[in-house]
Each structure stands twice: as structure tokens, then as C-alpha cells.
Amino acid sequence: MRKSLLLALLFLYSSLLVYGQNSTIRGTVKDSQSQMSIPGATIRIAGKTTASQTDDAGRFSIEATAGDALSFSFLGYETKTITVATGDTVLNVLLEDGNRDLEEIVVVGYGTQRQRNLTTAVATIKSDDITKTPAAQPMQALQGRVPGLQITSNGAPGASPTVRLRGVSSAEGASAPLYVVDNMFFDNIDFLNPNDIETINVLKDASASAIYGVRAANGVVIIETKSGAYNKDAEIVYDGYWGIQNPQNVLQMANTEQFVRYINETGSTADIAFIQNAIDRFGANPNNSALPNVNTNWYNEVMSPAPIQNHNLSFSGGSEKTRYAIGGSYFNQEGLLNDQRNDFTRLNFRTKVDSRVRDWLTVGGNFNVSTARQHVGENTAWFRSYFAVPTLPIYDPQNTNARPLGLANAQSLGYRGVQNPFYPLNYVDTRNNIAKVLGNFNMEAQIIENKLKFRTQYNYSLAFVNARRVDQDYHDGVTQVPSAIRRENTASYDQVWDNFLTYDDQFGKHNLNAVLGQSFRSEYSELLYARGTAINPSPTRAAEEFWYLSRATNFDLNQIGDANDDNTINANLKFLSFFGRAAYNYDGKYLLYGTLRSDGNNKFQKKWGHFATIGAGWVISQEEFFNVPSVNFLKIRGGWGQLGNDNIRPALGRPSYVPNNGAIGDGRSVGAALNPLFDLITNWETTVETNVGLDAQFLDNRLSLNADYFIRDTRNLAISIIPPGIRGTERRSAGEFRNRGFEMNLNWQDNISEDFSYNIGGNIATLNNTVRSIGDAPFLDAGQAEFRQRSMVGQPYQSFFGYETTGVFQNQEQILNSGYTAEFIQANGIRPGDLIFKDQNGDGVINDQDRAFLGSYLPSFTWGGNIGFTYKRLDFSALFQGQSGFSILNRKRGEMIFTNDTNIDADLAENMWRGEGTSNKYPSASGLRRAWNQNMSSYFIESGSYFRLQNVRLSYSFFGRESKLPETRVTFTAERPLTIFKYNGFNPEVADGIDREIYPIPAVYTLGLMIKL
């Protein structure tokens, strides 16, 4: 008995020893649905202070004892508790979805942050939304989705949209934000396949963007391409679509009946004779002998619907140590123009691999190759289609001298120009061969596990553009046009090497993340161009193998060179930067954030620029006193920061010498002369921005709200000035702009049942742009003298500037009572049917003192809305967007100042002044041709406001994960099926506000298929 008791006590004691012995528990924490790793999840032991966090790959390790209760938590997920059993060494935990919106990991530059801890304005767009838009360029998918981000579409195949974030921040540099693709810097991302993108993060305010320093003045767009996943079976996905692009809102031009009526009303004997010439040449209309038997709708003739297609094949997955993603894609977009090669074809290959070669070391790299061929449509075809008279056919059998095609020539009727747009369509060929390579290598080492890590990443980008334009020789029946060829080769070699330390720690209720690093960047580019004429043999489309400069018999010496006018080509630019960031929060309630970056380069006279930011936030909903059941999350935040802009032309900073030929004695001597004009950039262009915002979640996290108010001042702008006593202009750091506005995003999502869920949301943004300084100059002019734009303190940048019209003179009495002096009326021959210009200063005459600001091309209000639902396997979504408060110069109408023997649009033809009370908007037919009405005025300025149904998408999934058959989804998409506007043009989206020859933006209808194995 005593022995038995002793053995039992010994066994119990041994068990307690074993049970109480610590062991290392390792494992991963993942999302239960997506199987994606969850970085930053917290692991705690109940009743103890011991805690740990998962790393970027979702891995963790913690010392625990059998019987300990491990709590796994991550905000936005339901907390999960697991009791450690004897012998447990590995735990792989799946967390169930809670409110993930606030806990999503957001890429903010050189690291990540949780959405709930942000003190900055950051918008995130995910892959599903990006791929809804059938376009070559991924930024097109963001139109209407991000408040404050203005996207202006371009309908030409392969063309990039114009992107502006919170207004214009430079008078000289491009308006596009900095694109950071897998840590590499780009000015545009036309080489990227939208299907390869995982997320796009838009850093909108200075506090978010300042970590990128001198390239961030226009905002930053961070793009992460898709990766594989650790411990995931291989997945094969085909995703593609085929569709049709359909011209929409085609501008109606005057037909032959309207045109002849207009010509007769002008009283121009010459133009009336041209109509008779058309009747004599082509015959009279059998129903009306006063009309030629020709009625050409040139827009209908030059364009037709065109196909578009995209195909993607990807392979992804991973083991415990390695994850990978490999893919290829093919994109083809035909253009709307007929009779001309006008298309864009791109082929992409990419691979991305990450490997945990040691417990403490991860290495990775990606490689993206893009090759594209773009045949550029001849924009003059759009210009000619607007002006070509409808009394001219495409082909004219009587134009026997025209060759090789018997195209009609308006000169045969007496007009000054050829007009027929089919000449450039048939005899001009412009092609760009584009190749871009992005390579990335990165290595990350854990110095102190889950606390301190070091990362080095090297990125290299190569870009080659081989441009060629060939003009075939032809005869238009009047003039022989010689053949010509121009070639231009550009090569760019860019690299970025970053090295930085990241410290991440949690002690008690204190959480700290700090980054300290250094970056080196170099940019080098080369250019070579030449132009030759009289190609032998004469170029034809059937013999493209002879389209080379070596076949030219003459060369234009002024068109041979290896540098451009702004000295940005063949420049070897180097940049060295040091940066740091700290993000701190106490108990998830009190947030602090700050960055500092110093940038040095060899581009300007001032070598170094220093840019800092600070931000703070308060999560009020975390306070004990806050007890509002309907408010689940409430945070106020604010930030101040500085951004730089080096995307402007370099400055020499001193007088230079130019070649000069002089006579010495009886001979000519080649020498040099001093050029006293020189650019001097004494300060970096610096944007200083203040941003305050609010983030909130209501009603069980179904309703979310984000709002921001910002004031963005850009100082030390490089602007052109006229130095005293010297003819010419110089650039100085003397300008300042201000952009300020309000942005709000509101979204509601709810699950009605297990089978049905829906969402609805909207966003708005305002923008007020003003010039605050232009140095000592009273104003800065832009545009042509006939169509002036002016920048002046207190006004928007490059506002349209001219006379303000208040109507049309209806009778002679109204002219005499206009307030104009009798001498002025007589001198200008003002008559009924002429425009009324407002006498701004009341002196009885209209002159330069009466010019006024007529509007800005920058919209003051933009908005977007979305609605969608999911019912079982059926998904529907719709996106709306619009802009207002901006103006467009209808330059097409204004071209009459240079030539008036052309067609006019149908609206003008039908509604021009034809007697008292007929129109108070448009002049008379004869008035259109008088200099008085051709002055730059608000007559040529129109509102660009519009409403658009941007995207409609309907998809159905046939097989789910429970099926043995591959998951399959069929999708129908309509892009831009409806646009409502009043502007007299194809489309109100005009990047610079000047509509002279804009490529139409089509509606796109596609049918897509996705198969996942």
C-alpha cells in the first residue's frame, strides 16, 4: 500500500513537471475565408503578460505551457482562444471575419499600417474594382471611385488618361502623381496589365506622401502587384473578355441643306459660288435643285465601332517556404478611325517569387516585361472632319490627277484647303514600338524576431520607345506631296536602391512602429531622331520593309539631333535621400505619426531639400466615456506636411554661350556669343499641406464615413518671367498656388440573408484653385493671343480670359442704347445679330480693359456613386460619376478666325440669329465672319458639366468551391454607356480645357469569362 501511494505521488509529480514545462509554440494566423496570412495579429496568454505578434507572413512564436489559454485577436476579426495541449508545438489558426475594413493593412510607403491607425488621407482600390473597367490603363478604373482624384479619359488606343490629385501643383511639371509600382518610381503606368494588380493605394495628403519627398508634390499612387500565398495549392486562372467600342454622342454637323442655308445667309458671293461649283461638278439634288447631290456626314465616314479584347493566364500558390505568382496577358484595342492603322497591342509577362530561406531571412523578386505596338491615329482627321463641307464626297472621279486614290479635294470647288480627312487617314502611318522591363530584388532579415528587421530592395527599370512616322507621297489633284520618314528612339535607364530598418514593438498599451532608411535613385535617358524626305522606292503599305531612313534621298538638317529643348533628355540625374518615420499609438486610442526626408540631387542650384510631416489622431470610440450604441468607430485626425517636386526642367543657373558666326576681315569666323538669359532655380518647388479628417463606422459597421478638408499651398514654383532690359524669358522660383477643398466618402453595406447582400455609396469632392503669387509680374499669359489664358493673383491657374458676352443685339435701337459711344459703334460696324460684350469699366468702348476671367478648366465639384448586390451566384454593380464647375474652350468654333470657308456644327446652323427674337446666344451668319464676333469671349466658352453612367457589370458564377468542376464566372460589362451633357462636342472630358481635335471616347461593351482551376 505504501509503495503504491509512493508510485502514485511520483507519477503525479512527474506529470506536473511535464505539464508545467514551457515550450515554444509556432504557427500561422490566417483569414478563414481567403486563407491569406494576417500580419500583426496579437497572441496573448490568459492571466499572463506574455504576448506576441505575427510577422508580415502571418507567422508567430510564443513560449507557452500545456494548459495555457492562447488568445488570437486582430481587430476586425472574432477573437479565438485555443488551449495548449501536451505535446503541442505547432498551431495554425483561422480567424473568422468581423469588421475587417478598419483592420486592413494599407501600404503607405516603406511599410504598412492598419486602416484604423492611419492619421492620413489614403484611399484603397482592390483588384475586383480595378478589373471591372475594360481599358489598357489601370488608372482609368479609378474614375469616380476616389474623391479628389480627377481622371480625364482619352479614347485613343493605348492612351493614358490625365490624372490630377487635388488640383494643379506646378506651373511647369506634369500634373500626374508619382506612381510607385512594387517600390519602383514611374511617371505613368501604361505598361501595367490591370489584372496583375492586387491593390492601388492613393496617398492623397502631404502627411501620407511626404515619405517620398521630392517626387510627391502631385500625390502618390502605390501599386502592389499580385503575389502567391504560402501553404496554398497551385491555382490556375484564365480571365479574359472580348468586346466592342461604340462611338457615342457623335457631334452633329450641318448637313448640306443646313450648310447651304447658312452660306446664303452670309452673303458671301465667293462661298455661294462654291455651292454652285458643287452642283455643277456632282449634280443637283433631285428633290431640290438649289442643293448639290452630295450630303457627306464626315464623322460617320471616318469612324466605326472597333473591337477590344484582353486575355490573362496566371499561376499562383506556395509551399511553407515559398510563394509564387506567374502570369502572361495579351491586350488588343482597335481604334475608331477607318482606313488607317490605329490600334494598340500589348503583351505582358510577369513573375513574382518570395522565399523564406531561413527562419530569419526572406528573399524575393519580381520581373515584369511589357512589349507593345501602338499605331497612332492621325488627329488631323478629327479636325478635318469637323470643318469639311458636306457638299464634298469622299471620292471624286473627276479628280483625275489625284493618285494613288481618287479622293475628292475641296480646292476643286474653290475652297482654300483640301478638307478631305481621308488624305491623312490613307497616307500617314505613325507607329510606336514600346518595350518596358521592371526588375526587383528584395531581401528582408529579422534582426530581433517580430521587432526589428532590415530590408534592402533594388529596382531597375528599362524603357525603349521606337517611334516612326511615314508620310506617303501622293497627289491631291492640285499639289504633289512628297514622301517623308521620321524616326525617334528614346531609351531610359532608371534605378532605385532602398535600405531601411523597421522597428515594431508593443509594450503594455504602447505600440510603436519606426522606419529609418536611405534611398539612392538615378535616371538616365537617351534620344536620337532624324527626318528624311523623298523615300526611294516610294512608301506603300504593301512594302513596309522599305520604310527606313536609309531610303531617304534628302535629309532635313533641322530635324536631326539627340536632345530635346528642355534638356531633360541625355541628362544623367542622381538622387540621394535619407528618410525616417515613426507611428505611435496608445491603446489604439491616441495616434501620432511623423516623417522626415532629405533629398539631394544634381538637377538644380539648390542641392538639398528637406521635407517633414506630422499627424495625430484620436479614436474617440475607444474611450470609456463614449457610449453611443449606433457608433461603432469614430476617429478624428489631422496632419501637416511638406512635399517636393523635381519633375521640372533642369536649370543651368548661369549665363551660357551660344554658337555665333561673325565676319572678320574678308572671311567668316565661327565663334560664340554670351547669352545673358539663364534659368535659376534657387528653391525647390515645395507643397505645404494641412489636412483634417474624420473616419467613422455606424449601425453595426454597415455605414462608413470618411471626410477630409485640405489646404495645399505650392510655393517656389518655377515660372517664366521677362527680365528688365532683355528680350526673352527666364525661369525663376517665384510662383505660388493654393488648392483647397472638401472630400467625403459614404458607403452602406448589409447582408439581408445568407443569399442576398447589397451595397450603396457615394463620394463628393470640391476644389478651389487660386494663384497666390507670380513674382513681380502682374499676370502670366498662356495659349495663343487669339485664345488667351491668363494667370493672375486671386484667380484660378490659366483661366480663360476675354470679353464677357451678355447676349446678341436684336435691333439697331438696342445698339444705340448699349452704352457704347457712337464713334465706337461706327468704327466697329456693329449691327443687329452681333454679340454684346459687357463694358466692364463703363467707358463706352470695348478694349483690353474690359477683358475678364471666363472660367477654369479645373472642375470645382466632382462626385461618384455606386450600387450593387449579390444574390447567390449573381453579382451586379453600377458606378456613376460626374463633374461640374469647369469650362471648355470650344476652339473648333473659334477656328473661324483663321479660315471661314468651312462647315459649322448643326446646333449653330439651326439656332443662329436670323432676326429679332430668334437667338440671344449665337450671332448671325454674316456676324460669324466679322472680326467683332471673333474676339475671344464667353461665346466660345461652354460649361463642361456632365453626368455619366460609368460602369455597369453583371456576372454569374456557375460552380463554387464545393463543386468538382472548375469555378467559372461569366461577366457582361458596359463602360460609359450613357453620358449626359450640354457641351457642343463629342465629350466634355478635355484634359486642358481646349477642344480643337479630341479623340472621341467610346462606350465599351464586353463579355468576359473567368475559369479557376
Side-chain angles (χ1 to χ4, degrees), residues 196-493:
D196 291 339
I197 296 175
E198 183 67 36
T199 60
I200 297 179
N201 290 286
V202 182
L203 312 186
K204 298 199 291 184
D205 69 340
S207 183
S209 305
I211 192 69
Y212 288 106
V214 76
R215 289 294 299 274
N218 295 320
V220 177
V221 176
I222 300 178
I223 296 174
E224 294 287 304
T225 59
K226 291 180 179 178
S227 302
Y230 293 107
N231 297 309
K232 183 179 180 181
D233 291 338
E235 184 177 81
I236 304 173
V237 178
Y238 165 79
D239 195 356
Y241 62 79
W242 186 92
I244 194 76
Q245 305 166 94
N246 192 48
Q248 63 173 347
N249 303 311
V250 177
L251 180 62
Q252 294 300 308
M253 301 302 297
N255 59 28
T256 293
E257 182 177 359
Q258 293 168 322
F259 177 69
V260 170
R261 180 188 182 191
Y262 152 66
I263 291 300
N264 289 332
E265 290 173 350
T266 65
S268 169
T269 56
D271 286 83
I272 293 173
F274 300 159
I275 300 297
Q276 186 59 48
N277 292 342
I279 295 175
D280 295 340
R281 192 175 184 95
F282 306 120
N285 187 312
N287 299 318
N288 187 343
S289 60
L291 303 178
N293 195 27
V294 179
N295 186 19
T296 306
N297 186 321
W298 289 103
Y299 279 132
N300 285 353
E301 297 295 341
V302 302
M303 65 177 169
S304 58
I308 184 173
Q309 59 180 313
N310 188 35
H311 305 279
N312 306 273
L313 186 63
S314 64
F315 308 83
S316 64
S319 63
E320 184 180 355
K321 295 289 187 179
T322 301
R323 62 178 180 178
Y324 63 89
I326 302 171
S329 66
Y330 170 82
F331 176 85
N332 176 257
Q333 179 184 14
E334 300 290 330
L336 301 177
L337 284 170
N338 295 326
D339 286 26
Q340 184 181 52
R341 292 194 295 186
N342 174 215
D343 55 64
F344 178 78
T345 301
R346 183 183 62 210
L347 189 62
N348 278 28
F349 296 98
R350 73 179 189 96
T351 179
K352 192 172 186 179
V353 179
D354 297 288
S355 181
R356 298 198 290 252
V357 296
R358 295 288 186 272
D359 289 341
W360 54 271
L361 180 65
T362 301
V363 298
N366 62 51
F367 192 65
N368 194 320
V369 179
S370 173
T371 60
R373 173 168 289 189
Q374 180 183 38
H375 288 102
V376 182
E378 187 64 18
N379 264 346
T380 56
W382 304 116
F383 185 79
R384 291 192 181 193
S385 297
Y386 182 89
F387 292 104
V389 294
T391 56
L392 182 75
I394 300 174
Y395 295 95
D396 179 7
Q398 298 181 57
N399 192 14
T400 55
N401 289 330
R403 56 181 184 273
L405 297 175
L407 296 172
N409 184 342
Q411 290 174 312
S412 66
L413 303 179
Y415 296 98
R416 283 172 287 184
V418 175
Q419 295 195 8
N420 192 334
F422 282 87
Y423 281 100
L425 288 178
N426 281 279
Y427 300 130
V428 176
D429 188 282
T430 302
R431 184 212 66 193
N432 296 325
N433 282 338
I434 306 165
K436 295 188 177 182
V437 179
L438 167 62
N440 168 282
F441 171 79
N442 61 80
M443 180 177 66
E444 184 172 288
Q446 296 282 341
I447 300 175
I448 302 176
E449 190 173 10
N450 295 327
K451 287 189 177 182
L452 181 63
K453 60 185 177 182
F454 169 76
R455 182 179 178 91
T456 182
Q457 53 194 31
Y458 177 78
N459 302 270
Y460 201 91
S461 171
L462 303 175
F464 305 97
V465 180
N466 184 332
R468 182 197 67 189
R469 175 190 168 102
V470 174
D471 295 90
Q472 299 179 36
D473 59 347
Y474 65 91
H475 201 291
D476 61 21
V478 177
T479 304
Q480 176 68 44
V481 179
S483 61
I485 183 170
R486 176 186 168 92
R487 298 189 73 105
E488 180 176 300
N489 291 343
T490 306
S492 300
Y493 311 87

